[in-house]
């Protein structure tokens, strides 16, 4: 009776019977195991909530369960993290017979959820240079080491407390219904990209956002230079020029420079958009007479570009004649400034001095940048535009020839050189002048393993068979320079032999360029691109596919015959 009188009002009606030692021991072991499982699940939950907040964090494998967002659970985890210890959720605690807390292992309750699935270890980084495939397959999950590094950098950053977090911050929440992260109203009200710092992970162009898209901090750049010889008929298909099958992945930027371009420049840009497809948008197009320069970029990267600036220079004595000269386009991507130049120098086998004059006039007269701030003005030279940018690509028809008789050059070509072009390049005028320091100072060129790209009979692989018998030469080149050594790495440098509508073969260069985080104090491009061009290119792409399907259907129908 005394035990009944002393019972707490909140206790059970039936008295608790003493347990056997064996039963107590078994329950203690089960309780310890249950607590370890709960702690493990809680730790992984905390790890998920302190991720990078990438818009692709919720991309999981088909067999992977999506986490269900709960504001209550999120607050509980944050409270536990602040206390510096892990504690059980209030749902897992009940009041025991003596007023003590009772673990969920001692009561009948549903089993706790399984631990979160680890990220796939097959890929250690996100890549924006991906195969042309479904949108959701363009990204992969960031390795856990990268998440921990970003979290550590964020915590060590003195400006992290002042930056306003949003859907890209480390504390952003995951969504169960979208690959995008939810945006809190507080973030939508307060976020501004007009002020920022390199160290602030909340900056649009800062280190956090850069590492989210480019963990290795390298962007893929695809360069094309081609003298079209004013072709009236464009190639029917540009896939071999822009998306060759011998490359594993497509690149992030496509820059196409044309000399002696076709009469309809707009048609040329539409053809480029049609070939690249919906993954890319045209950031900018510049023109100087018959010199065209088109810049395409992956559509999800346009937000990290500054405004685009352009400038032109003519090297003719009469400035109204714009067949020779240069056109340049510059912009800042994250914190790295880019300059892309395409040019056409004076022609003629012996006019080396005139070509050097063309080079000097261009570097002195090209007025870039204009409004976009120089990322490192202390290393800039007023008399040389190529020193004012972090990464510079200069490509075009430089018209430097092989200083050797036509018969001797043809004899060397017939020796089946393979990939060793040194017997030809020892007579290359451009290589000699660069070695002497008289032209393209500070520039580099990848090793050449392809045959001369000039001059062919149109529609064939035969070098000039006219009465002029021009010597085959490497007139079309791609050169590059950077402020920091090894910022630019060459992936491929070759020519496109399947395009035969001109007397020149196009030259292709694929590069990996190192990026730096930037500040949000530059004039942003705000995601602008040529919308009309994009829609027309996609419309033509769809029309072409429908025609092909109809042709295949007609072919199958016509192959069926009946026997009477």
């Amino acid at each position: 009776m005394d035990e009944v009188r002393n019972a707490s009002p909140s206790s059970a009606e039936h008295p608790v019977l003493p347990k056997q030692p064996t039963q107590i021991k078994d329950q203690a072991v089960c309780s310890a195991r249950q607590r370890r499982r709960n702690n493990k699940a809680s730790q992984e939950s905390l790890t998920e909530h302190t991720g990078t907040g990438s818009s692709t964090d919720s991309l999981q494998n088909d067999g992977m369960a999506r986490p269900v967002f709960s504001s209550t659970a999120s607050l509980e985890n944050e409270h536990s993290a602040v206390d510096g210890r892990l504690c059980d959720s209030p749902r897992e605690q009940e009041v025991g017979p003596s007023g003590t807390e009772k673990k969920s292992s001692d009561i009948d309750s549903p089993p706790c959820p399984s631990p979160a699935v680890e990220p796939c270890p097959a890929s250690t980084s996100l890549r924006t240079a991906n195969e042309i495939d479904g949108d959701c397959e363009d990204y992969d999950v960031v390795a856990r080491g990268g998440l921990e590094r970003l979290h550590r950098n964020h915590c060590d950053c003195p400006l992290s407390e002042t930056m306003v977090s949003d859907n890209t911050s480390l504390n952003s929440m995951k969504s169960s219904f979208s690959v995008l992260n939810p945006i809190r109203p507080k973030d939508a009200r307060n976020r501004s990209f007009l002020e920022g710092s390199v160290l602030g992970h909340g900056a649009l162009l800062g280190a956090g956002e850069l590492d989210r898209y480019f963990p290795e901090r390298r962007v893929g750049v695809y360069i094309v230079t081609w003298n079209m010889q004013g072709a009236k008929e464009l190639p029917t298909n540009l896939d071999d020029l822009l998306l060759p099958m011998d490359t594993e992945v497509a690149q992030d930027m496509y820059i196409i420079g044309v000399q002696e371009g076709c009469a309809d420049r707009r048609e040329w840009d539409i053809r480029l958009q049609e070939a690249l497809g919906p993954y890319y948008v045209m950031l900018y197009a510049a023109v100087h007479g018959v010199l065209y320069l088109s810049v395409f970029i992956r559509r999800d990267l346009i937000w990290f570009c500054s405004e685009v600036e352009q400038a032109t220079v003519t090297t003719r004595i009469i400035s109204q004649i714009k067949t020779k000269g240069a056109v340049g386009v510059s912009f800042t991507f994250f914190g790295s400034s880019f300059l892309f130049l395409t040019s056409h120098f004076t022609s003629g086998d012996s006019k080396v001095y005139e070509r050097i004059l063309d080079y000097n006039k261009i570097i002195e007269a090209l007025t870039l940048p204009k409004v976009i701030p120089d990322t490192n003005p202390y290393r800039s030279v007023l008399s040389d535009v190529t020193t004012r940018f972090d990464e510079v690509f200069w490509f075009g028809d430089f018209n430097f020839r092989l200083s050797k008789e036509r018969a001797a050059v043809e004899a060397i070509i017939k020796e089946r050189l393979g990939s060793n072009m040194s017997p030809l390049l020892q007579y290359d005028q451009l290589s000699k002048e660069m070695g002497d320091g008289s032209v393209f100072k500070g520039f580099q060129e990848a090793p050449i393993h392809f045959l001369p790209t000039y001059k062919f009979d149109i529609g064939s692989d035969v070098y000039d068979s006219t009465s002029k018998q021009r010597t085959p030469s490497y007139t079309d080149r791609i050169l590059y320079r950077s402020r920091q050594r090894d910022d630019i790495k060459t992936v491929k440098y070759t020519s496109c032999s399947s395009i035969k509508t001109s007397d020149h073969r196009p030259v292709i260069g694929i590069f990996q360029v190192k990026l730096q985080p930037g500040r949000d104090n530059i004039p942003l491009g705000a995601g602008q691109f040529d919308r009309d061009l994009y829609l027309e290119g996609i419309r033509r792409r769809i029309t072409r596919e429908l025609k092909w399907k109809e042709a295949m259907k007609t072919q199958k129908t016509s192959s069926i015959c009946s026997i009477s």
Side-chain angles (χ1 to χ4, degrees), residues 345-362:
F345 289 176
T346 303
S347 61
D349 290 351
S350 60
K351 294 185 178 180
V352 177
Y353 180 72
E354 287 79 357
R355 289 190 275 273
I356 296 176
L357 292 180
D358 292 343
Y359 162 80
N360 288 324
K361 183 174 182 179
I362 292 170

Side-chain angles (χ1 to χ4, degrees), residues 266-522:
R266 185 67 174 179
E267 177 65 21
W268 169 244
D269 287 334
I270 292 175
R271 293 286 188 93
L272 295 175
Q273 179 71 75
E274 179 185 356
L276 290 173
Y279 285 86
Y280 298 88
V281 296
M282 192 172 76
L283 183 68
Y284 201 83
V287 59
H288 178 65
V290 290
L291 290 171
Y292 306 155
L293 185 59
S294 306
V295 179
F296 288 81
I297 190 170
R298 282 182 59 132
R299 66 188 184 198
D300 45 353
L301 298 178
I302 58 176
W303 305 103
F304 310 109
C305 295
S306 71
E307 294 179 351
V308 183
E309 299 179 328
Q310 76 157 19
T312 61
V313 175
T314 182
T315 55
R316 288 288 195 185
I317 298 177
I318 303 176
S319 59
Q320 285 76 14
I321 302 177
K322 299 178 180 179
T323 57
K324 298 293 189 295
V327 54
V329 164
S330 65
F331 59 90
T332 298
F333 184 68
F334 280 97
S336 297
S337 57
F338 286 80
L339 172 64
F340 298 101
L341 266 169
T342 187
S343 59
H344 195 182
F345 289 176
T346 303
S347 61
D349 290 351
S350 60
K351 294 185 178 180
V352 177
Y353 180 72
E354 287 79 357
R355 289 190 275 273
I356 296 176
L357 292 180
D358 292 343
Y359 162 80
N360 288 324
K361 183 174 182 179
I362 292 170
I363 63 174
E364 294 175 2
L366 201 69
T367 56
L368 289 174
K370 299 177 181 178
V371 178
I372 308 299
D374 191 340
T375 56
N376 194 345
Y378 301 103
R379 302 187 64 176
S380 300
V381 178
L382 293 177
S383 59
D384 188 350
V385 66
T386 64
T387 64
R388 303 173 207 154
F389 297 88
D390 297 317
E391 322 296 342
V392 180
F393 291 90
W394 196 337
F395 44 96
D397 182 1
F398 299 141
N399 260 320
F400 286 95
R401 311 298 176 90
L402 294 180
S403 299
K404 195 70 174 175
E405 296 80 8
R406 164 74 181 257
V409 171
E410 284 187 332
I412 296 175
I413 293 176
K414 290 179 180 179
E415 292 177 359
R416 300 184 181 275
L417 301 173
S419 61
N420 180 22
M421 298 297 160
S422 57
L424 288 174
L425 293 172
Q426 62 179 326
Y427 306 109
D428 180 49
Q429 295 175 348
L430 178 57
S431 299
K432 178 182 180 302
E433 297 302 326
M434 288 180 66
D436 295 342
S438 58
V439 69
F440 292 108
K441 302 176 182 65
F443 279 83
Q444 303 178 58
E445 183 179 20
I448 295 178
H449 299 298
F450 51 90
L451 291 172
T453 57
Y454 172 86
K455 170 180 171 61
F456 289 92
D457 291 341
I458 295 178
S460 72
D461 293 324
V462 177
Y463 287 102
D464 186 19
S465 61
T466 64
S467 58
K468 293 185 177 181
Q469 290 287 298
R470 295 181 180 86
T471 302
S473 299
Y474 293 97
T475 59
D476 310 283
R477 314 287 273 269
I478 301 176
L479 308 178
Y480 60 89
R481 67 170 294 175
S482 59
R483 281 173 170 170
Q484 301 293 331
R485 180 175 295 182
D486 298 330
D487 269 6
I488 301 176
K489 293 185 177 180
T490 304
V491 177
K492 176 178 286 190
Y493 189 38
T494 185
S495 64
C496 182
S497 58
S498 62
I499 304 293
K500 303 177 182 180
T501 57
S502 169
D503 58 349
H504 290 252
R505 294 288 186 266
V507 174
I508 298 169
I510 303 177
F511 306 90
Q512 288 288 318
V513 184
K514 188 175 181 180
L515 296 175
Q516 299 294 335
R519 302 177 183 271
D520 287 348
N521 59 351
I522 64 173

Side-chain angles (χ1 to χ4, degrees), residues 82-369:
V82 172
D83 291 342
R85 58 184 177 84
L86 293 173
C87 63
D88 294 324
S89 172
R91 292 182 179 179
E92 299 173 354
Q93 299 175 353
E94 285 195 3
V95 179
S98 303
T100 61
E101 294 177 349
K102 184 178 181 181
K103 296 294 182 181
S104 60
S105 59
D106 297 333
I107 63 175
D108 296 333
S109 61
C112 62
S114 301
V117 181
E118 294 291 338
C120 175
S123 176
T124 59
S125 65
L126 286 171
R127 292 186 182 274
T128 54
N130 293 287
E131 297 179 358
I132 301 300
D133 206 338
D135 288 350
C136 293
E137 296 177 4
D138 280 357
Y139 302 96
D140 206 339
V141 181
V142 181
R144 187 167 301 280
L147 297 179
E148 294 175 353
R149 176 170 60 84
L150 288 178
H151 179 58
R152 181 170 60 255
N153 293 342
H154 177 73
C155 295
D156 295 340
C157 175
L159 297 178
S160 62
E161 297 180 358
T162 62
M163 299 304 297
V164 180
S165 62
D166 69 346
N167 64 313
T168 62
S169 68
L170 297 175
N171 295 323
S172 62
M173 303 166 291
K174 291 187 176 180
S175 170
S176 61
F177 50 86
S178 172
V179 298
L180 300 176
N181 293 312
I183 302 175
R184 296 176 294 189
K186 177 181 66 175
D187 302 328
R189 287 191 177 199
N190 297 333
R191 188 64 184 269
S192 174
F193 292 129
L194 297 180
E195 297 179 0
S197 171
V198 172
L199 300 178
H201 279 264
L204 175 66
L205 307 178
E209 198 76 357
L210 174 59
D211 290 338
R212 173 175 168 239
Y213 281 85
F214 301 97
E216 299 176 4
R217 295 196 174 183
R218 287 193 175 273
V219 61
V221 178
Y222 193 104
I223 305 288
V224 174
T225 180
W226 184 27
N227 186 321
M228 299 178 68
Q229 199 191 13
K232 296 180 180 179
E233 294 185 5
L234 296 175
T236 56
N237 194 314
L238 296 176
D239 289 346
D240 290 343
L241 180 65
L242 302 175
L243 302 170
M245 294 302 295
D246 58 349
T247 55
E248 182 180 358
V249 294
Q251 304 305 310
D252 302 301
M253 298 181 186
Y254 281 78
I255 294 86
I256 301 95
V258 168
Q259 308 84 43
E260 297 184 22
C262 60
D264 192 345
R265 180 180 64 87
R266 185 67 174 179
E267 177 65 21
W268 169 244
D269 287 334
I270 292 175
R271 293 286 188 93
L272 295 175
Q273 179 71 75
E274 179 185 356
L276 290 173
Y279 285 86
Y280 298 88
V281 296
M282 192 172 76
L283 183 68
Y284 201 83
V287 59
H288 178 65
V290 290
L291 290 171
Y292 306 155
L293 185 59
S294 306
V295 179
F296 288 81
I297 190 170
R298 282 182 59 132
R299 66 188 184 198
D300 45 353
L301 298 178
I302 58 176
W303 305 103
F304 310 109
C305 295
S306 71
E307 294 179 351
V308 183
E309 299 179 328
Q310 76 157 19
T312 61
V313 175
T314 182
T315 55
R316 288 288 195 185
I317 298 177
I318 303 176
S319 59
Q320 285 76 14
I321 302 177
K322 299 178 180 179
T323 57
K324 298 293 189 295
V327 54
V329 164
S330 65
F331 59 90
T332 298
F333 184 68
F334 280 97
S336 297
S337 57
F338 286 80
L339 172 64
F340 298 101
L341 266 169
T342 187
S343 59
H344 195 182
F345 289 176
T346 303
S347 61
D349 290 351
S350 60
K351 294 185 178 180
V352 177
Y353 180 72
E354 287 79 357
R355 289 190 275 273
I356 296 176
L357 292 180
D358 292 343
Y359 162 80
N360 288 324
K361 183 174 182 179
I362 292 170
I363 63 174
E364 294 175 2
L366 201 69
T367 56
L368 289 174

